[in-house]
Amino acid sequence: MERPRQDRLGRLLLQSNLISEEQLTEALDEHSSSGKSLGRVLIDKGMITEGQLTSVLAEQIGIRYTDLSTHPIDPGAATLIDANLAKRYTVVPIDFEDSKLVVAMADPTNVFALDDLRIMTGMEILPVVSTKDDINATIGRYLHSTADMEGALDDLPMLEELEESEDELVEAAEDAPIVKYVNLIITEAVGENASDVHIEPAEKDVRIRYRVDGVLHEIRRSPKRIHPGIVSRVKILANLNIAERRVPQDGRFAMDANGRLVDVRVATVPTIHGEKIVLRILDRMQILISLTDLGMLGGPLKIFSDSFNKPYGTVIVTGHTGSGKTTTMYAALSELNRREVNVITVEDPVEYQVKGLNQVHVNTKVGLTFAATLRSILRCDPDIVMIGEIRDAESAKMAIESALTGHMVLCTLHTNDAPSAITRMVEMGVEPFLIASAVDSVVSQRLARRLCTRCRSEAEYDAEYLEKIGLPMEEGEEVTFYKADPKGCALCNNTGFRGRIGIYEVFTMDEEIERMLVKLATSRELGVAAEKKGMVRLRQDGFIKVKQGITSIEEILRVVM
């Protein structure tokens, strides 16, 4: 049977050096047998990307191809059309050029779409070609939330005219536009993978910021008139006192955000312009992440895993607030959570609710402190105890004594590095010889932002600078360094980063370090001794991730001293 002749698309792909003759022949064979289009066959086989195919087709019809993952989107252009129209035609305005509106289209030959765009915007349209997936992602990012937010704002009553009695606040909080607006804020934050939402009243407006990958970004400013309604709505969801505005309050609630079940922790604090609200978003799916996915690899992973899998002892996780200590603890607990063991956690508050764990929420108002709770749960026959945070001498002593009586204890502490956790417990009044006997390992951690793989760029550094920051290169070692693109792309929301990776330092006890501890060695002396035995410091672990192309030198220097 004679092979199908190379069609025009195949010749164009060959001329662009995107595929080889052998690949084209293979794809044509499958095209002939399956009936699928040649372009779809090439994409399914991984020979070309959808963007490459679209670029070639755009060149064929004489229209410019634009990669929306790298092209900066002008929000003023994107919001000129209705989200429904954008979705119906798979189009999105992205820029202005020579008094024309640049519109990315999956099908630039659709004359009906071009006519509707011209009528709706009152501008001449300059079509460019983009992939359908990139256009839909841009619509979701720039049009849906913006249109919905603006619609909800238009429907909001003039809340600044309320006398703010309790009845009026309840009525305002249950008003449909307020309910919709608060839900949209949280849903949008979840979609952006934000860890926190800050709702901050100013003199004339309300600033809304999301913390994404550890960095705050201002999302929008809303009219001051909606602030009382937002505060009341959030307080009702979190079961707080809506009439009390003079003292801080905290609570929590759960909600479904576009199919993702999240827990939301609420904290309010009175400011001179009204109550500020911070919403901590806890995605229940995050607790299923393994230690490897978090970024703990090689030797540190083996030491830590060996430590918490022992029948008794103490494992301490340290780091500053927001460094991911709780996530690391739950990643370890997910491995320990078995039917044959009794796991009890003591937390303030309980961040993740996990099936199979007995979780206790500390309540200091009724005397349920960490120490009091520990005393009680030790009478409940636990195998594994997780202490959310060691805050005082009593809970520190209880944790150590629990390990010495045959329990595995996992706990967190606030220190700058792993060896400092040992000296911190000595300062709390725990006897050094007890610490030496009970503590098995200490993990210190930070979170560094991952580089966006679609827009990162190569970087060069001279040997003197690398030596200065502690990243010497071995003779003959070849490493490609990367840095973040300051403009970013659509995939990373123009930040240059997407997601975070853990940076770890694992300190473990041995006979020499135990003797040093009993002699009241300083944290620096303990750290030097551990380094000689192979402990990888935080910065060195960060530089390993730099050499792997996961993050940048600048990011590691930002998060690690």
Side-chain angles (χ1 to χ4, degrees), residues 118-351:
R118 194 175 295 111
I119 293 169
M120 175 172 282
T121 63
M123 299 182 67
E124 285 298 312
I125 305 300
L126 177 61
V128 297
V129 180
S130 296
T131 66
K132 187 175 181 179
D133 288 345
D134 281 351
I135 291 174
N136 286 331
T138 305
I139 291 171
R141 183 179 299 276
Y142 288 93
L143 270 71
H144 282 167
S145 60
T146 301
D148 291 342
M149 289 287 186
E150 290 178 352
L153 282 173
D154 290 340
D155 295 334
L156 289 174
M158 300 295 287
L159 297 179
E160 79 276 15
E161 297 176 0
L162 295 175
E163 296 180 4
E164 294 192 9
S165 68
E166 185 170 349
D167 290 341
E168 287 179 319
L169 289 171
V170 171
E171 184 179 349
E174 294 177 348
D175 190 64
I178 279 290
V179 172
K180 181 180 179 182
Y181 190 73
V182 171
N183 288 346
L184 283 170
I185 289 175
I186 298 173
T187 302
E188 183 183 50
V190 171
E192 295 288 342
N193 292 318
S195 60
D196 302 85
V197 177
H198 291 244
I199 302 172
E200 303 166 318
E203 184 178 0
K204 296 181 179 179
D205 55 19
V206 179
R207 179 172 64 171
I208 297 175
R209 295 191 291 173
Y210 296 162
R211 187 179 295 279
V212 181
D213 295 335
V215 179
L216 278 171
H217 301 274
E218 182 174 325
I219 302 302
R220 65 178 55 82
R221 287 182 178 266
S222 300
K224 183 66 178 287
R225 62 186 173 86
I226 72 172
H227 181 251
I230 293 177
V231 173
S232 299
R233 176 59 186 167
V234 171
K235 285 184 174 181
I236 286 175
L237 287 171
N239 198 26
L240 303 180
N241 184 355
I242 66 171
E244 179 57 75
R245 298 182 293 277
R246 299 164 298 176
V247 297
Q249 299 184 64
D250 60 85
R252 67 185 303 153
F253 62 91
M255 71 172 288
D256 187 325
N258 283 343
R260 291 171 64 178
L261 188 60
V262 296
D263 291 321
V264 182
R265 273 172 43 191
V266 179
T268 71
V269 60
T271 71
I272 59 172
H273 296 299
E275 288 181 280
K276 169 175 175 168
I277 299 176
V278 178
L279 308 176
R280 167 64 60 87
I281 298 172
L282 304 168
D283 190 341
R284 295 186 182 181
M285 294 303 295
Q286 289 183 350
I287 61 174
L288 302 177
I289 296 176
S290 68
L291 290 167
T292 303
D293 292 335
L294 291 174
M296 190 179 290
L297 307 169
L301 174 61
K302 185 178 187 308
I303 295 170
F304 183 48
S305 182
D306 288 347
S307 295
F308 66 71
N309 276 293
K310 291 182 178 179
Y312 57 86
T314 304
V315 175
I316 305 172
V317 180
T318 76
H320 58 74
T321 301
S323 61
K325 300 187 299 296
T326 302
T327 304
T328 298
M329 296 281 275
Y330 272 101
L333 284 177
S334 66
E335 294 187 26
L336 298 172
N337 187 15
R338 302 184 299 271
R339 287 186 176 185
E340 62 269 23
V341 297
N342 178 22
V343 183
I344 304 180
T345 74
V346 187
E347 304 170 71
D348 182 22
V350 174
E351 293 198 6

Side-chain angles (χ1 to χ4, degrees), residues 345-365:
T345 74
V346 187
E347 304 170 71
D348 182 22
V350 174
E351 293 198 6
Y352 299 107
Q353 297 179 21
V354 182
K355 186 178 180 180
L357 302 185
N358 302 284
Q359 298 172 276
V360 181
H361 187 155
V362 169
N363 187 349
T364 55
K365 294 178 181 178

Side-chain angles (χ1 to χ4, degrees), residues 512-528:
E512 180 185 345
I513 289 178
E514 287 178 7
R515 288 194 296 269
M516 292 176 63
L517 176 56
V518 172
K519 294 179 181 179
L520 300 179
T522 65
S523 61
R524 180 179 179 80
E525 291 169 339
L526 293 173
V528 170

Side-chain angles (χ1 to χ4, degrees), residues 12-20:
L12 287 169
L13 292 170
L14 284 172
Q15 292 169 5
S16 302
N17 294 318
L18 292 175
I19 59 173
S20 64

